Amino acid sequence: MTNPVTQDRRHFEDLAVGEVIDLGRTTVSKEMITTFAREFDPFPFHLDEAAAKASLLGGLASSGWQTGALSLRMLVDNFLSKVASAGGLGFKDLKWKTPVMVGDTISGTVTIAELRRSASHPQWGIVTLDFDIRNQKQKPVMTMRLANLVECRVPEASA
């Protein structure tokens, strides 16, 4: 039975290992950094410019978790909203490589690294995505590997 909510979206069978998805870009403002930090990561180097300047980071920097959240937003906007995605299954190998500072513009790509059907639930496939997020100077700021559950158009084909 076809799911009317996802029928016009890409399904597991439509994806290919090696496919590269452009995530677009977003510029990180001071207000974005401090608003996120006040609620989720209230370290002084995310909230106070003087403390941040005296820190290892040398200036007001985005939380790594904010970088991850912004990257996920870009993934949804540019890929997952067009896919019959049922949600994330987890991530591994998360690395914050360069701080994201006020005024930085982050962009990046996601590459489909693996595709496999669920052995126990043939209506689902698992897509593994490798993130490569960079700043405007093309310096890597974050990498990670994310697994996502995607609906199969033809569950019977998994046998």
Side-chain angles (χ1 to χ4, degrees):
M1 182 168 135
T2 303
N3 180 343
V5 175
T6 61
Q7 67 185 358
D8 296 329
R9 295 182 182 187
R10 294 177 70 191
H11 286 67
F12 179 78
E13 296 89 340
D14 303 319
L15 305 175
V17 171
E19 180 180 349
V20 177
I21 297 97
D22 182 351
L23 296 179
R25 63 190 71 256
T26 191
T27 300
V28 181
S29 68
K30 176 183 175 182
E31 182 181 350
M32 288 168 69
I33 290 172
T34 57
T35 299
F36 185 92
R38 271 193 299 278
E39 188 162 357
F40 301 109
D41 196 352
F43 282 104
F45 43 82
H46 300 317
L47 290 168
D48 178 85
E49 287 187 85
K53 191 166 187 147
S55 77
L56 174 68
L57 301 175
L60 201 62
S62 170
S63 165
W65 295 113
Q66 182 176 21
T67 303
L70 291 168
S71 299
L72 180 60
R73 177 58 195 245
M74 292 189 296
L75 178 69
V76 170
D77 289 348
N78 294 288
F79 180 64
L80 290 180
S81 62
K82 301 167 182 87
V83 173
S85 170
L89 296 173
F91 64 90
K92 64 181 183 178
D93 299 327
L94 171 63
K95 292 187 176 49
W96 295 307
K97 299 188 170 241
T98 303
V100 174
M101 310 303 282
V102 171
D104 278 356
T105 297
I106 60 170
S107 62
T109 59
V110 164
T111 302
I112 297 177
E114 296 175 10
L115 291 166
R116 68 178 177 86
R117 287 197 182 247
S118 170
S120 56
H121 300 282
Q123 71 274 28
W124 299 111
I126 298 164
V127 58
T128 302
L129 304 168
D130 285 342
F131 280 72
D132 178 22
I133 307 299
R134 296 175 178 263
N135 66 18
Q136 70 279 0
K137 298 173 185 171
Q138 290 304 304
K139 289 181 80 173
V141 298
M142 188 190 83
T143 59
M144 77 169 163
R145 180 166 270 208
L146 177 79
N148 198 272
L149 198 61
V150 176
E151 187 178 336
C152 292
R153 182 176 286 113
V154 185
E156 304 78 35
S158 67

